[in-house]
């Protein structure tokens, strides 16, 4: 694992759920947390809570669906550091679970804007800061719903959840991550899913109305593992808290 001294991380969607818990856990390691939040008020409340717990936190107003917001966020982070060790692309949208026969582009587009274009916007904007780090890592927070292996397995509950937007957006994010990993070998790009695929479990968050069987802490195990990889760690992988996940 990496030494926490002076290590910095930007977490999108960091004001609640998995993002906030990842921030808490990495803050306990002594990392500098750049806490991305679309809602500045909620972000401030989350940052204050983390700070009260002893973390070094910088609030970063950040809407991943806005080019201007992402660029402003990059400028703000540059005011505090000349490098970024870790980027966690966590912000996302669940969509309305519209059945495929009823889904229109208007239903799908907002989900792609957050789950696919958002990570591209943020990654592109922060690449210069990542490249300045000694061991840069990017963690894409995806879902077992983005796995063809999982969705086509009748034993998996998600195989019976018929919708277009969310699962296809996460499948796209998985492919994007692999392509980044192949093209940029000096940066580790990996995919985390906050669940246990083998046990058909997922983490309880606002996105699923807290119906998951795993705690938010358990849900961040894979995120924290990939965020803390050593210099000889893997890239281009898909992992849950139990190990590798089939694409």
């Amino acid at each position: 694992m990496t030494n926490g001294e002076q290590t910095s991380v930007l977490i999108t969607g960091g004001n609640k759920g998995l993002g906030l818990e990842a921030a808490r856990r990495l803050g306990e390691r002594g990392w500098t947390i750049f806490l991305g939040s679309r809602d500045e008020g909620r972000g401030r409340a989350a940052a204050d809570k983390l700070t009260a717990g002893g973390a070094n936190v910088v609030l970063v107003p950040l809407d991943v669906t806005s080019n201007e917001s992402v660029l402003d966020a990059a400028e703000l982070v540059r005011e505090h550091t000349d490098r970024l060790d870790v980027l966690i692309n966590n912000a996302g949208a669940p969509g309305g679970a519209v059945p495929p026969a009823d889904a229109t582009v208007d239903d799908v587009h907002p989900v792609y804007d957050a789950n696919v274009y958002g990570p591209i916007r943020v990654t592109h904007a922060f690449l210069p800061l990542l490249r300045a780090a000694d061991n840069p890592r990017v963690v894409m927070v995806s879902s077992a719903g983005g796995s063809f292996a999982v969705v086509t397995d009748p034993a998996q509950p998600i195989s019976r959840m018929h919708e277009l937007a969310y699962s296809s957006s996460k499948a796209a994010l998985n492919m994007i991550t692999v392509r980044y990993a192949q093209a940029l070998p000096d940066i580790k790009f990996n995919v985390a899913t906050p669940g246990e695929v083998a046990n058909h479990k997922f983490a309880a968050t606002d996105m699923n109305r807290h119906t998951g069987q795993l705690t938010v802490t358990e849900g961040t195990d894979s995120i924290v593992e990939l965020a803390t990889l050593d210099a000889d760690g893997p890239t281009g992988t898909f992992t849950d808290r139990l190990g590798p996940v089939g694409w």
Side-chain angles (χ1 to χ4, degrees), residues 125-204:
F126 283 88
L127 269 179
L129 286 172
L130 286 164
R131 283 174 161 148
D134 292 333
N135 176 31
R137 289 140 279 163
V138 177
V139 182
M140 303 290 199
V141 180
S142 186
S143 166
S147 163
F148 285 87
V150 172
V151 172
T152 57
D153 179 357
Q156 292 284 351
I158 201 165
S159 70
R160 299 182 291 278
M161 295 172 60
H162 303 306
E163 56 79 46
L164 284 184
Y166 183 75
S167 55
S168 66
S169 72
K170 291 302 188 179
L173 179 62
N174 291 356
M175 177 60 79
I176 287 165
T177 308
V178 171
R179 299 304 272 172
Y180 274 132
Q182 292 171 333
L184 300 167
D186 293 335
I187 302 175
K188 293 179 181 62
F189 286 87
N190 290 289
V191 180
T193 178
E196 295 180 357
V197 172
N199 296 326
H200 307 172
K201 292 182 179 180
F202 52 96

Side-chain angles (χ1 to χ4, degrees), residues 63-84:
D63 178 355
V64 302
T65 68
S66 165
N67 290 329
E68 182 179 3
S69 178
V70 171
L71 293 175
D72 287 346
E75 283 301 314
L76 190 156
V77 172
R78 283 192 194 96
E79 293 174 4
H80 293 270
T81 183
D82 59 358
R83 61 178 171 79
L84 182 67

Side-chain angles (χ1 to χ4, degrees), residues 6-241:
Q6 303 294 322
T7 301
S8 59
V9 57
L10 170 67
I11 305 173
T12 69
N15 63 286
K16 64 178 183 177
L18 297 169
L20 180 58
E21 179 63 6
R24 183 192 68 80
R25 294 179 67 178
L26 294 173
E28 287 183 343
R29 292 171 174 260
W31 290 24
T32 296
I33 309 297
F34 292 102
L35 195 76
S37 177
R38 182 177 60 178
D39 185 306
E40 192 165 350
R42 292 179 181 177
R44 173 55 60 196
D48 288 346
K49 181 178 180 180
L50 292 169
T51 300
N56 179 24
V57 184
V58 177
L59 176 62
V60 180
L62 176 53
D63 178 355
V64 302
T65 68
S66 165
N67 290 329
E68 182 179 3
S69 178
V70 171
L71 293 175
D72 287 346
E75 283 301 314
L76 190 156
V77 172
R78 283 192 194 96
E79 293 174 4
H80 293 270
T81 183
D82 59 358
R83 61 178 171 79
L84 182 67
D85 297 290
V86 181
L87 167 61
I88 300 177
N89 280 307
N90 167 72
V98 179
D102 300 325
T104 67
V105 169
D106 289 339
D107 296 314
V108 174
H109 179 74
V111 182
Y112 271 62
D113 203 16
N115 296 357
V116 181
Y117 312 140
I120 294 174
R121 288 187 186 98
V122 176
T123 300
H124 183 264
F126 283 88
L127 269 179
L129 286 172
L130 286 164
R131 283 174 161 148
D134 292 333
N135 176 31
R137 289 140 279 163
V138 177
V139 182
M140 303 290 199
V141 180
S142 186
S143 166
S147 163
F148 285 87
V150 172
V151 172
T152 57
D153 179 357
Q156 292 284 351
I158 201 165
S159 70
R160 299 182 291 278
M161 295 172 60
H162 303 306
E163 56 79 46
L164 284 184
Y166 183 75
S167 55
S168 66
S169 72
K170 291 302 188 179
L173 179 62
N174 291 356
M175 177 60 79
I176 287 165
T177 308
V178 171
R179 299 304 272 172
Y180 274 132
Q182 292 171 333
L184 300 167
D186 293 335
I187 302 175
K188 293 179 181 62
F189 286 87
N190 290 289
V191 180
T193 178
E196 295 180 357
V197 172
N199 296 326
H200 307 172
K201 292 182 179 180
F202 52 96
T205 65
D206 285 354
M207 191 173 287
N208 56 52
R209 299 181 180 88
H210 296 271
T211 57
Q213 307 92 330
L214 301 177
T215 67
V216 70
T217 301
E218 291 170 327
T220 57
D221 282 349
S222 58
I223 299 170
V224 171
E225 178 183 355
L226 293 173
T228 56
L229 288 175
D230 289 322
D232 60 352
T235 189
T237 66
F238 189 11
T239 304
D240 71 6
R241 67 189 302 263

